[in-house]
Amino acid sequence: MSYPKPILTVDIVMLALLGGRLHVALMQRDRAPEAGEWALPGGYIHTNEDVDSEAAARRVLKTKLGFEPRHLEQVITEGNATRDPRGWSVSIVYLALHEEAEMSELAARKGLKLVDVEQTGELAFDHAHLIRLAVGRLRSKASYTTIVGHLLPPVFTIAELFDVYEAVLGREIDRANFRRKVLAFSTLEPVSMRRGAGRPAQAFRLTRDLDYFDRQIA
Amino acid sequence: MSYPKPILTVDIVMLALLGGRLHVALMQRDRAPEAGEWALPGGYIHTNEDVDSEAAARRVLKTKLGFEPRHLEQVITEGNATRDPRGWSVSIVYLALHEEAEMSELAARKGLKLVDVEQTGELAFDHAHLIRLAVGRLRSKASYTTIVGHLLPPVFTIAELFDVYEAVLGREIDRANFRRKVLAFSTLEPVSMRRGAGRPAQAFRLTRDLDYFDRQIA
DNA sequence: GCAATAGTGTCTTTGAGACAATATCGA
DNA sequence: TCGATATTGTCTCAAAGACACTATTGC
């Protein structure tokens, strides 16, 4: 007995901060099904060129958008009979993070829509659901890893990092305690000084893509 | 341009404790590729009967082994060009937990081999790697959820739960502090008394499949 | 009584959180 | 000098961990 193979795609939830709130990047579909609807960037695996599913996600972003995210990780795989009108389909969902400035510029240049993750409205397929899963992953990882550092440019100050944490976690944090905790884990490398409106600040960069703290950071 | 669809399967890492150590259940493959090698239970999605990928995993366990696990959750999806000699293939990996007694009985009845997760030896495909990922997931979830409760029968004592935690986390825990902490989160419901060699113990059951603690349990 | 296991009390240390105080810039 | 932002000090309270102690069974 043989069964038809399900449709298999990778879809990417691209997140960035815009004005202190998390936004997701959407593309307007140009073909059926769901033509005209807003959807996550995604595509089929190209078995002749992609070495693995993460490479497929990177290729989709690169070729469709000319984009290389600061951080990319797998979130979940959603597979069922009803999520795509064409039939049984499977999506390997990736989370991509990038800084605000470059993401806005990319969106303007490529016709992407950046929408607040709390107000996506109706989207193609189950993509609103996939976005909720990815945002949940980001929020839960925020408090014990350096993941949200990838929502900033490579070099940033503690104050900027603080703002990102408050935006992602959606609650107020104490500045003084935050600074002490984040510096106690020696995962930030001081690189230069940053001058602004008041006293100059020490600027840092992440020493690795993803570090795990041994306890909660915020 | 069109690409051949990758092979798509679900594979299940069935874990149980055996003599205080984590073991995984393996089946001997009866057909090519890798015929005769030990491998994880798994199979194709049946698009006409499985409503989603988790249902496919449950059906595989039910029809191949007559088994319904106490706990089942998705771990990761591994997809690349080299893991299967037949070509580009994708495995949606599930973690299944069950109690020692029933798992041993099942293994004996169905010809499964239960091997220590630290010493699996060579296995078919990338299954040794998939097992490491699933065990890692269990270990990391152990300290902040009730997940390891599913390695015990439905009704258990604190002392039994304590032993499971020590086995999974692989380090010593203080009995007194463990008891206080686990009871402080009111996720255990007292159901009866258990008599044994010494003073009788209160027995409990989990009130839900998976509860998250608001801080580390051990 | 003793062996065995269950369960409690209590002290010390560490981290979390609140919040006041000080430092260093530009204007 | 002041306004703005960065950074440090210090106090309080809660949780983590160590470990001694008491409780309840069977024999």
Side-chain angles (χ1 to χ4, degrees), chain B residues 159 176 179-180 199 201-202:
Chain B
R179 151 172 276 269
R180 261 188 297 265
R199 171 175 170 176
Q202 180 65 249

Coordinates of all heavy atoms in Angstrom, one line a residue, chain B residues 159 176 179-180 199 201-202, chain C residues 4-10:
Chain B
A159 N 9.1 9.8 46.8 CA 10.4 9.2 46.8 C 10.7 8.6 45.4 O 11.8 8.6 44.9 CB 10.4 8.0 47.8
A176 N 15.0 16.5 51.2 CA 14.1 17.3 51.9 C 13.7 18.5 51.1 O 12.5 18.9 51.0 CB 14.8 17.8 53.2
R179 N 11.3 17.6 48.1 CA 9.9 17.4 48.6 C 9.2 18.7 48.8 O 8.1 18.9 48.3 CB 9.9 16.6 49.9 CG 8.7 16.8 50.8 CD 8.7 15.9 52.0 NE 8.1 14.6 51.5 CZ 6.8 14.4 51.7 NH1 6.0 15.3 52.2 NH2 6.3 13.3 51.3
R180 N 9.8 19.6 49.5 CA 9.2 20.9 49.7 C 8.8 21.6 48.4 O 7.8 22.2 48.2 CB 10.1 21.8 50.6 CG 9.7 21.8 52.0 CD 10.5 22.9 52.8 NE 11.9 22.5 52.8 CZ 12.5 21.9 53.7 NH1 11.8 21.5 54.8 NH2 13.8 21.6 53.6
R199 N 8.0 3.6 56.9 CA 6.8 4.4 57.1 C 6.0 4.6 55.8 O 6.6 4.8 54.8 CB 7.3 5.8 57.6 CG 6.2 6.8 57.7 CD 6.7 8.1 58.3 NE 5.8 9.2 58.2 CZ 5.9 10.4 58.7 NH1 7.1 10.7 59.4 NH2 5.0 11.3 58.6
A201 N 3.9 6.0 52.8 CA 4.1 7.3 52.1 C 2.8 7.7 51.4 O 2.0 6.9 51.0 CB 5.2 7.2 51.0
Q202 N 2.6 9.0 51.3 CA 1.5 9.6 50.5 C 1.8 9.4 49.0 O 2.9 9.6 48.6 CB 1.5 11.1 50.8 CG 0.4 11.8 50.1 CD -1.0 11.4 50.5 OE1 -1.8 10.8 49.8 NE2 -1.4 11.7 51.7
Chain C
dA4 P 18.3 -1.8 57.3 OP1 18.5 -2.9 56.4 OP2 19.3 -0.8 57.6 O5' 17.0 -1.0 56.8 C5' 15.8 -1.7 56.4 C4' 14.7 -0.7 56.2 O4' 14.3 0.0 57.4 C3' 15.1 0.5 55.3 O3' 14.3 0.5 54.1 C2' 14.9 1.7 56.1 C1' 13.9 1.3 57.1 N9 14.0 2.1 58.4 C8 15.1 2.5 59.1 N7 14.8 3.2 60.1 C5 13.4 3.3 60.1 C6 12.5 4.0 60.9 N6 12.8 4.7 62.0 N1 11.2 3.9 60.5 C2 10.8 3.2 59.5 N3 11.6 2.5 58.6 C4 12.9 2.6 59.0
dT5 P 14.7 1.2 52.8 OP1 14.5 0.2 51.7 OP2 16.0 1.8 53.0 O5' 13.7 2.3 52.6 C5' 12.3 2.0 52.7 C4' 11.6 3.2 53.3 O4' 12.0 3.4 54.6 C3' 11.8 4.5 52.6 O3' 10.5 4.9 52.0 C2' 12.2 5.5 53.6 C1' 11.7 4.8 54.9 N1 12.5 5.2 56.1 C2 11.8 5.8 57.1 O2 10.6 5.9 57.1 N3 12.6 6.2 58.2 C4 13.9 6.0 58.3 O4 14.5 6.4 59.4 C5 14.6 5.4 57.2 C7 16.1 5.3 57.3 C6 13.9 5.1 56.2
dA6 P 10.3 6.3 51.3 OP1 9.2 6.1 50.3 OP2 11.5 6.9 51.0 O5' 9.6 7.1 52.5 C5' 8.4 6.6 53.1 C4' 7.7 7.6 53.9 O4' 8.5 7.9 55.1 C3' 7.5 9.0 53.2 O3' 6.2 9.5 53.5 C2' 8.6 9.9 53.8 C1' 8.8 9.3 55.2 N9 10.2 9.3 55.7 C8 11.3 8.8 55.1 N7 12.4 8.9 55.9 C5 12.0 9.6 57.0 C6 12.6 10.1 58.1 N6 13.9 9.9 58.3 N1 11.9 10.7 59.1 C2 10.6 10.8 58.9 N3 9.8 10.4 57.8 C4 10.6 9.8 56.9
dG7 P 5.7 10.8 52.9 OP1 4.2 10.8 53.0 OP2 6.3 11.1 51.6 O5' 6.3 11.9 53.9 C5' 5.7 12.0 55.2 C4' 6.5 13.0 56.0 O4' 7.8 12.5 56.1 C3' 6.5 14.4 55.5 O3' 5.8 15.2 56.3 C2' 8.0 14.7 55.5 C1' 8.6 13.7 56.4 N9 10.0 13.4 56.2 C8 10.6 12.8 55.2 N7 11.9 12.7 55.3 C5 12.2 13.2 56.6 C6 13.4 13.4 57.2 O6 14.5 13.1 56.9 N1 13.2 14.1 58.5 C2 12.0 14.5 59.0 N2 12.0 15.1 60.1 N3 10.8 14.3 58.3 C4 11.0 13.7 57.1
dT8 P 5.8 16.8 56.3 OP1 4.5 17.3 56.8 OP2 6.3 17.2 54.9 O5' 6.9 17.2 57.4 C5' 6.7 16.9 58.7 C4' 7.6 17.7 59.6 O4' 9.0 17.2 59.4 C3' 7.6 19.2 59.5 O3' 7.7 19.8 60.8 C2' 8.9 19.5 58.7 C1' 9.8 18.4 59.2 N1 10.9 17.9 58.3 C2 12.2 18.0 58.8 O2 12.5 18.5 59.9 N3 13.1 17.6 57.9 C4 12.9 17.1 56.6 O4 13.8 16.7 55.9 C5 11.5 17.0 56.2 C7 11.2 16.5 54.9 C6 10.6 17.4 57.1
dG9 P 7.6 21.3 60.9 OP1 6.3 21.7 61.7 OP2 7.9 22.0 59.6 O5' 8.8 21.6 61.9 C5' 9.9 20.7 61.9 C4' 11.1 21.4 62.7 O4' 12.3 21.1 62.0 C3' 11.0 22.9 62.8 O3' 11.8 23.3 63.9 C2' 11.7 23.3 61.4 C1' 12.8 22.2 61.3 N9 13.0 21.8 59.9 C8 12.1 21.6 58.9 N7 12.6 21.2 57.8 C5 13.9 21.1 58.0 C6 15.0 20.7 57.2 O6 14.9 20.3 56.0 N1 16.2 20.7 57.8 C2 16.4 21.1 59.1 N2 17.6 21.1 59.6 N3 15.4 21.5 59.9 C4 14.2 21.5 59.3
dT10 P 12.1 24.8 64.3 OP1 12.3 24.8 65.7 OP2 11.0 25.7 63.7 O5' 13.4 25.2 63.5 C5' 14.6 24.4 63.8 C4' 15.8 25.0 63.1 O4' 16.0 24.4 61.8 C3' 15.7 26.5 62.8 O3' 17.0 27.0 62.8 C2' 15.2 26.5 61.4 C1' 16.1 25.4 60.9 N1 15.8 24.9 59.5 C2 16.8 24.4 58.7 O2 18.0 24.3 59.1 N3 16.4 24.0 57.5 C4 15.2 24.1 56.9 O4 14.9 23.7 55.8 C5 14.1 24.7 57.8 C7 12.7 24.8 57.3 C6 14.5 25.0 59.0

